[in-house]
Amino acid sequence: MSDIAEPAPAACWSPQRKRAPAGQRRQQILQCLAGMLEESPAERVTTAALAARLQVSEAALYRHFASKAQMFEALIEFIEVSLFGLAAQIETQQPSGLAQALRMVQALLVFAERNPGLCRVLEGDALVGEHARLRQRVHLLLARLEARVRQSLKLAEQQGEVGAGFDPGERARWLLTYARGCLARRVRDGAALSEGAEQAALLSLLAGG
């Protein structure tokens, strides 16, 4: 699989670092939340459990975030910055529209593999019981990524890389539907496709009639 994804979040904050600056403390809270989402894939993380892991009071958490929803919004923002930063890199480095589309979807899957806690956020499992606006924001994030893939497939069409009757919008939907299925499978049973199988599946979706 591609090696362009962002590294996984750091381990949960050590209690020896309680006097960190405010900005760093926010980052430590988010890293701990992501780590707990990874460790307990079938459980909802509460602020009480998060505070206990960090060895602080819940009130201390709320000095940095107004609510748990705001913590999740910060995680989603990290995902957005990471994925669209990677998409920009791919567009710069890959002149082929087809290669761009393939690499963007691979980048999403690599990111999910390397960040299992954040994969739960992308798939929506971690947001069950949370504010509806969080699920809407993830939906919009994936819709934006699909639009980016569609643009690359339109470029491929202009470059003559695809045959007559190729529908960039339809193929982009297929690719993102496949990717979302992979995210759901990773959350459900931790399964991950091999690099060869994944690339073969994506190429089949791009080339299929």
Side-chain angles (χ1 to χ4, degrees):
M1 190 176 284
S2 166
D3 60 358
I4 60 176
E6 290 286 330
C12 191
W13 172 43
S14 166
Q16 282 73 31
R17 303 176 65 189
K18 288 183 180 178
R19 297 188 180 277
Q24 187 177 339
R25 183 70 58 83
R26 282 174 57 91
Q27 184 67 16
Q28 290 163 348
I29 292 169
L30 295 176
Q31 288 171 345
C32 193
L33 175 57
M36 292 178 73
L37 289 171
E38 177 178 350
E39 291 169 14
S40 306
E43 298 178 13
R44 185 169 180 238
V45 177
T46 64
T47 53
L50 180 59
R53 176 65 67 88
L54 290 164
Q55 297 188 2
V56 299
S57 67
E58 288 186 73
L61 296 180
Y62 293 126
R63 284 198 291 271
H64 301 282
F65 295 95
S67 63
K68 187 166 66 161
Q70 195 177 84
M71 297 178 200
F72 275 110
E73 285 177 332
L75 290 181
I76 296 169
E77 182 177 358
F78 171 76
I79 295 169
E80 287 175 336
V81 170
S82 299
L83 290 179
F84 291 104
L86 292 170
Q89 282 184 33
I90 290 165
E91 289 168 341
T92 299
Q93 297 168 1
Q94 292 285 347
S96 161
L98 276 180
Q100 288 179 12
L102 179 66
R103 295 270 289 173
M104 284 181 197
V105 179
Q106 286 179 319
L108 170 62
L109 297 179
V110 170
F111 182 89
E113 275 191 13
R114 293 187 179 182
N115 300 277
L118 299 184
C119 180
R120 287 188 63 196
V121 176
L122 274 167
E123 194 273 337
D125 169 74
L127 303 179
V128 173
E130 304 296 342
H131 199 288
R133 74 173 183 271
L134 298 172
R135 293 187 293 279
Q136 178 64 15
R137 183 164 177 181
V138 171
H139 173 76
L140 291 175
L141 184 163
L142 293 171
R144 284 177 57 208
L145 186 61
E146 180 179 319
R148 202 79 169 248
V149 171
R150 182 169 61 249
Q151 283 300 116
S152 290
L153 293 178
K154 287 181 178 178
L155 174 62
E157 195 173 35
Q158 294 165 7
Q159 293 171 331
E161 294 185 302
V162 298
F166 183 90
D167 184 335
E170 179 182 69
R171 297 309 166 96
R173 283 192 297 275
W174 288 3
L175 290 168
L176 267 293
T177 298
Y178 169 79
R180 295 181 79 159
C182 289
L183 298 184
R185 188 175 176 214
R186 284 177 171 84
V187 169
R188 184 180 67 247
D189 55 25
L193 295 177
S194 69
E195 179 180 351
E198 179 184 281
Q199 181 153 328
L202 293 173
L203 288 172
S204 177
L205 288 169
L206 281 172

